[in-house]
Amino acid sequence: MRATRLAVAALVTALAATACGGGKQSENTGASGGKNGRLTIATGATTGVYYQIGGGLAELISSNIDGYRATATSTGASVQNIQGLGAGTYDIAFSLMDTAGDAVEGKEGFDAPQEVEALTRLYSNYTQVLVRADSGIKSLKDMKGKRVSTGAPASGTEVIANRLLEAAGLDPAKDVTAERLALPESVDAMKDSTIDALFWSGGLPSGGITDLTTSLKKDVRLLDVTPQLPALNQEYGDVYQKGSIPASVYNQSKDVPTIVVANVLLVKKGFDPDLAADIVNLIYEKKSELEKVNAAATEIELAQAQAVSPVPLNAGAENALKALAQKS
């Protein structure tokens, strides 16, 4: 299985690497359009869907938008991605919708409002909470005193993990032994029995979760966290919705109810509206190419593309989405 994991990681890395070619270099600079025609896309863990679809998007940009070459880079995900946009480290970033909302409002993990705009709403992230069968965990409340990976620091997974634990009446800082691990490390720790449970927020399927459920089979199971949904909605609004992880995704015996939250593709305020429009058009006109990279892209729907409030839409992206909607 270790060889298989390495092979999968190598394949995904190769995909991202190919995204570095295919376009001519230009002299554009700054957040308006990348540095010297180069665009860096902030994604997430290498075994997550952000990284895979981000690599696919980078390839589309490099191959289809003249003068630009894009690269997907692995990160700690949502919070780090948005911070990187503000710092000019990244040009485009994947984020969970709840974290993006916090960013523009300057709350939770952000000390001040962040000047970010949306290109489009994407697919949904599914909250995937896995526990070892021998852990005795049957609900989130049972995580008290347990060793739990709450996700990488400054990730959207960490945000929702802490919120879920609090909704279950637990203090993430005191009631659990929190291990702030990225998905690959979380998977390894579950296999080694050094943690009892992990939180992951990602599309379906997520490679790391596939690896874990394939390796441990009945020794690991998905946990239903929907009992905490009313408390989340009361505290944070309707950004969280009820969903389901189909049994077929991870070869489980039955569907597992869970909580879902939308993803959004972000840029810094001032991003070139013409380039934004080109990227949006690529996403929807060549969506089938992204679907080949990961099935989660099938959930990218034009009908929901502009539903990014409270994040403002980039003007160029908004115009492109309206034009695409008129054609459909």
Side-chain angles (χ1 to χ4, degrees):
M1 288 310 302
R2 176 175 173 80
T4 301
R5 294 201 307 273
L6 291 173
V8 171
L11 178 61
V12 174
T13 301
L15 172 63
T18 62
C20 293
K24 293 188 298 182
Q25 185 169 306
S26 74
E27 296 302 322
N28 295 311
T29 60
S32 61
K35 300 175 181 65
N36 297 319
R38 297 182 183 275
L39 296 170
T40 301
I41 303 174
T43 61
T46 56
T47 53
V49 180
Y50 278 0
Y51 187 72
Q52 294 179 350
I53 292 184
L57 176 59
E59 173 63 22
L60 287 179
I61 292 171
S62 299
S63 300
N64 293 278
I65 300 181
D66 189 42
Y68 288 93
R69 183 172 295 178
T71 305
T73 186
S74 175
T75 70
S78 298
V79 177
Q80 180 185 332
N81 290 356
I82 293 171
Q83 292 170 339
L85 281 181
T89 306
Y90 312 127
D91 303 292
I92 304 169
F94 285 74
S95 174
L96 283 167
M97 195 69 239
D98 57 347
T99 306
D102 290 344
V104 298
E105 294 175 7
K107 63 181 185 181
E108 298 291 335
F110 302 94
D111 295 331
Q114 304 296 299
E115 294 191 338
V116 296
E117 298 175 331
L119 294 184
T120 182
R121 183 180 176 126
L122 296 168
Y123 57 92
S124 290
N125 260 22
Y126 290 71
T127 305
Q128 300 165 61
V129 181
L130 289 94
V131 302
R132 289 189 58 88
D134 58 7
S135 67
I137 301 172
K138 299 185 184 304
S139 70
L140 287 178
K141 291 182 179 180
D142 296 332
M143 288 188 179
K144 186 171 184 177
K146 302 295 185 179
R147 303 160 299 174
V148 181
S149 173
T150 53
S155 68
T157 293
E158 185 175 55
V159 170
I160 195 169
N162 289 337
R163 289 179 177 181
L164 278 168
L165 289 169
E166 290 169 354
L170 302 179
D171 183 340
K174 297 178 180 179
D175 292 331
V176 302
T177 301
E179 301 289 346
R180 304 172 73 196
L181 303 174
L183 183 57
E185 291 74 27
S186 296
V187 169
D188 287 341
M190 285 284 279
K191 291 178 179 179
D192 296 340
S193 299
T194 53
I195 60 172
D196 302 297
L198 71 80
F199 285 83
W200 170 247
S201 180
L204 299 179
S206 290
I209 304 302
T210 300
D211 176 10
L212 183 60
T213 54
T214 301
S215 300
L216 295 189
K217 296 183 171 55
K218 292 183 179 180
D219 289 334
V220 66
R221 57 186 174 80
L222 288 157
L223 192 67
D224 177 3
V225 295
T226 56
Q228 278 64 53
L229 183 58
L232 285 180
N233 285 340
Q234 182 176 359
E235 182 70 21
Y236 303 105
D238 61 357
V239 68
Y240 300 108
Q241 304 291 329
K242 186 173 183 178
S244 179
I245 302 173
S248 60
V249 174
Y250 298 122
N251 196 28
Q252 301 294 293
S253 60
K254 60 182 179 180
D255 296 352
V256 178
T258 193
I259 292 170
V260 300
V261 58
N263 289 300
V264 63
L265 197 61
L266 302 174
V267 293
K268 188 175 181 179
K269 185 177 180 180
F271 190 88
D272 181 0
D274 291 331
L275 177 57
D278 288 342
I279 293 171
V280 166
N281 284 324
L282 268 181
I283 290 172
Y284 289 95
E285 291 173 358
K286 295 186 178 292
K287 187 164 79 81
S288 61
E289 296 300 309
L290 297 179
E291 292 171 0
K292 293 176 184 177
V293 175
N294 191 287
T298 59
E299 294 186 22
I300 300 175
E301 298 178 356
L302 185 58
Q304 297 293 321
Q306 298 183 61
V308 295
S309 178
V311 183
L313 270 170
N314 174 279
E318 184 174 13
N319 290 337
L321 290 172
K322 287 180 178 178
L324 287 167
Q326 290 175 352
K327 291 180 183 179
S328 63

